[in-house]
Amino acid sequence: METKGISKAVIKRLPRYYRYLGELLEENVERISSNDLSIKMKVTASQIRQDLNNFGGFGQQGYGYNVQHLYSEIGKILGLETTHPMIILGAGNLGQALANYSDFEKRGFKLVGVFDINPDLEGVPLRNVKIQMLKDLPLFLKETPVEIAILTLPKNNAKEIADILIANGIKAIWNFAHIDLDTPEDVIVENVHLSESLMTLSYNISQYQQEHKDRRSNS
Amino acid sequence: METKGISKAVIKRLPRYYRYLGELLEENVERISSNDLSIKMKVTASQIRQDLNNFGGFGQQGYGYNVQHLYSEIGKILGLETTHPMIILGAGNLGQALANYSDFEKRGFKLVGVFDINPDLEGVPLRNVKIQMLKDLPLFLKETPVEIAILTLPKNNAKEIADILIANGIKAIWNFAHIDLDTPEDVIVENVHLSESLMTLSYNISQYQQEHKDRRSNS
DNA sequence: TAGATTGTTAATCGATTAACAATC
DNA sequence: TAGATTGTTAATCGATTAACAATC
């Protein structure tokens, strides 16, 4: 039952395995070998076997992996068998987009509150909750169990609200603000830095154009 | 001028350097040593020097790095000195959130079109463009230079539209759909798989809870 | 039993860190 | 010149791939 010390790289790959297995399940595929899966996913079979064996021997020699079983095991590893109550801080477009994303609820991520500063939004319904004011956040956290806080506020507010979240016992933050949160080590932060993702894309475009230019002038 | 063969890991870190240097610039900091920056960013000074030297000697012995200069050099490397016309496919909450994100335009990412299937949205203004129908996409691409296509459509539509984009010469896709696009190798894809990010967070929460439980029963 | 395919060890490859000579 | 700090080489560490014995 020791699942400690698994590398971040492996963990980042687990949701992708989960997605592919889910697709196979929908196609009623009963079993799959690491080799067949490796072709589908464009990774090495070795990596798949190595990754999965961090968590246990889910396969069987001469047979491969049972899709249903592996899917549910990875789901358990990812913590998708339990309910994760979550709140959204910031009811802007991004907050609304995440609130309305139905797949999350299917996987146990349940929206229990949405907060904003804009008084015009107070009481406005969003999915199955009503938008509340940020000033009511501390009281809400004292009364309601919340596991994940989703930060979709602008940079300056985000820092301040993060402190309030932490002071009120929140242990997991999904951070969309363009800052690195300074949190105690028992608080888990998962960053989604969209502008950094876009810049990476931009780099690759420039790089590609550069290579093309070189090739033209060199040949 | 050879900037080929730089590892993905380095490139993923560049936008973060850029962000920190931008902050230093706002604070009117003139120069910084790799050591001071390493403390701020919680990385090793060695990594900073190693990363930057992939692109050139931006520093000076005994002095450190000039913030303004390094900021602008990294900006150039990331391709932020040129304009990148982009379109959004899917005018839902997420598409709207990205359309309204003003920081992008500041960095040269210019929205030139938004497309959706929903006829009710036809002609509705979004930021500085009007929403068009997806059926008009091929013609639009023939008439307008577009560099980046942002895919915020649901899974099933995304695959189909990606093919249309590629057939019409799009070379860079920022993909928010929960699929891996199957694209020719000269098309650059940057994926933002939000549900996978959330699952990674969920894994870490479960892991933390598991460790705590163990500690309680072991001690 | 024979064939297939895993689990796992060993080999390779790449990325990070340490160290220090070069130099501002 | 002396002190500081880079650029860069060498050492270490970690992750990926290859290989194959174990076994279904």
Side-chain angles (χ1 to χ4, degrees):
Chain A
M1 266 299 162
E2 189 53 85
T3 50
K4 191 64 201 308
I6 288 155
S7 90
K8 246 184 160 181
V10 173
I11 293 154
K12 284 272 170 203
R13 285 195 290 267
L14 285 182
R16 188 155 179 266
Y17 291 133
Y18 189 73
R19 174 155 56 87
Y20 274 85
L21 289 163
E23 282 171 17
L24 287 168
L25 209 54
E26 273 176 29
E27 295 160 13
N28 294 309
V29 177
E30 208 175 84
R31 66 194 182 93
I32 192 158
S33 68
S34 58
N35 193 51
D36 288 353
L37 188 57
S38 78
I39 292 162
K40 259 189 179 295
M41 295 185 65
K42 294 176 181 164
V43 295
T44 62
S46 206
Q47 181 168 77
I48 292 175
R49 294 203 298 277
Q50 197 76 277
D51 282 356
L52 296 178
N53 271 84
N54 279 296
F55 303 97
F58 300 131
Q60 197 165 74
Q61 284 96 331
Y63 171 90
Y65 297 88
N66 179 282
V67 174
Q68 168 71 70
H69 178 242
L70 186 55
Y71 178 77
S72 102
E73 285 298 320
I74 295 179
K76 275 187 223 165
I77 292 164
L78 290 170
L80 307 180
E81 84 292 4
T82 55
T83 301
H84 304 281
M86 54 187 201
I87 56 172
I88 292 176
L89 294 315
N93 284 125
L94 184 55
Q96 286 181 40
L98 297 172
N100 286 318
Y101 188 57
S102 59
D103 271 24
F104 291 159
E105 197 155 317
K106 249 188 276 173
R107 298 278 146 71
F109 300 97
K110 192 170 188 311
L111 187 67
V112 297
V114 177
F115 295 82
D116 203 289
I117 329 177
N118 184 354
D120 293 349
L121 292 173
E122 181 156 22
V124 172
L126 185 49
R127 200 164 177 88
N128 46 11
V129 300
K130 279 181 184 159
I131 298 173
Q132 299 176 63
M133 293 295 96
L134 272 169
K135 66 172 168 47
D136 300 327
L137 178 61
L139 183 61
F140 180 88
L141 289 174
K142 280 180 185 76
E143 290 175 343
T144 321
V146 175
E147 195 176 83
I148 299 169
I150 307 179
L151 256 186
T152 59
L153 288 162
K155 208 158 77 164
N156 40 338
N157 297 317
K159 210 143 214 162
E160 184 190 331
I161 298 300
D163 290 340
I164 294 175
L165 290 167
I166 291 160
N168 286 280
I170 289 291
K171 291 278 181 273
I173 298 176
W174 200 17
N175 177 40
F176 287 79
H178 303 171
I179 46 164
D180 294 325
L181 298 174
D182 189 22
T183 51
E185 57 167 66
D186 66 336
V187 174
I188 300 153
V189 178
E190 171 79 16
N191 290 307
V192 179
H193 289 323
L194 293 180
S195 60
E196 299 189 4
S197 170
L198 184 55
M199 288 181 194
T200 303
L201 179 61
S202 167
Y203 170 87
N204 287 313
I205 294 168
S206 307
Q207 196 53 33
Y208 176 80
Q209 288 171 345
Q210 192 62 36
E211 277 167 37
H212 256 238
K213 204 194 292 170
D214 290 353
R215 206 165 296 155
R216 261 182 310 196
S217 56
N218 289 353
S219 61
Chain B
M1 266 300 160
E2 188 53 84
T3 50
K4 192 62 201 306
I6 288 155
S7 88
K8 246 183 162 182
V10 173
I11 292 154
K12 283 272 170 204
R13 285 195 290 267
L14 284 182
R16 188 156 178 265
Y17 291 134
Y18 189 73
R19 174 155 54 88
Y20 274 85
L21 288 163
E23 283 171 16
L24 288 168
L25 208 54
E26 274 176 27
E27 294 160 14
N28 295 309
V29 177
E30 208 174 82
R31 66 193 182 93
I32 193 156
S33 68
S34 58
N35 193 52
D36 288 353
L37 188 58
S38 78
I39 293 162
K40 260 189 179 294
M41 295 185 65
K42 293 175 183 165
V43 295
T44 63
S46 204
Q47 182 167 77
I48 292 175
R49 294 204 298 277
Q50 197 75 277
D51 281 357
L52 296 178
N53 271 84
N54 279 297
F55 303 97
F58 299 130
Q60 197 166 75
Q61 284 97 331
Y63 171 89
Y65 298 87
N66 178 281
V67 173
Q68 168 70 71
H69 177 243
L70 186 55
Y71 178 77
S72 103
E73 285 298 321
I74 295 178
K76 275 186 223 164
I77 293 164
L78 290 170
L80 307 181
E81 83 293 3
T82 54
T83 301
H84 304 281
M86 53 186 202
I87 56 173
I88 292 177
L89 293 315
N93 285 124
L94 184 55
Q96 286 181 41
L98 296 172
N100 286 318
Y101 188 56
S102 59
D103 271 24
F104 291 159
E105 199 155 316
K106 249 188 277 173
R107 300 277 146 73
F109 300 97
K110 190 169 189 312
L111 188 67
V112 296
V114 177
F115 295 81
D116 204 289
I117 329 176
N118 184 355
D120 294 349
L121 292 174
E122 182 156 21
V124 172
L126 185 48
R127 199 162 179 88
N128 46 10
V129 299
K130 279 182 183 158
I131 298 173
Q132 299 176 64
M133 292 295 96
L134 273 170
K135 66 174 168 48
D136 301 326
L137 178 60
L139 183 63
F140 179 88
L141 289 174
K142 281 178 185 78
E143 292 174 343
T144 321
V146 175
E147 195 176 84
I148 299 169
I150 307 180
L151 256 186
T152 59
L153 288 162
K155 206 157 79 165
N156 39 337
N157 297 317
K159 210 142 214 161
E160 187 190 329
I161 298 298
D163 291 340
I164 294 175
L165 290 168
I166 291 160
N168 286 280
I170 289 291
K171 290 279 182 272
I173 298 175
W174 200 18
N175 176 41
F176 287 79
H178 302 172
I179 45 164
D180 294 325
L181 297 174
D182 189 21
T183 50
E185 57 168 68
D186 66 337
V187 174
I188 301 153
V189 178
E190 170 79 16
N191 290 308
V192 179
H193 288 324
L194 294 179
S195 60
E196 298 188 4
S197 170
L198 183 55
M199 287 182 194
T200 303
L201 179 62
S202 166
Y203 170 86
N204 286 314
I205 294 168
S206 307
Q207 197 52 34
Y208 177 80
Q209 288 170 346
Q210 192 61 36
E211 277 166 37
H212 255 238
K213 203 195 290 170
D214 289 352
R215 206 166 295 154
R216 261 182 308 195
S217 56
N218 288 352
S219 60

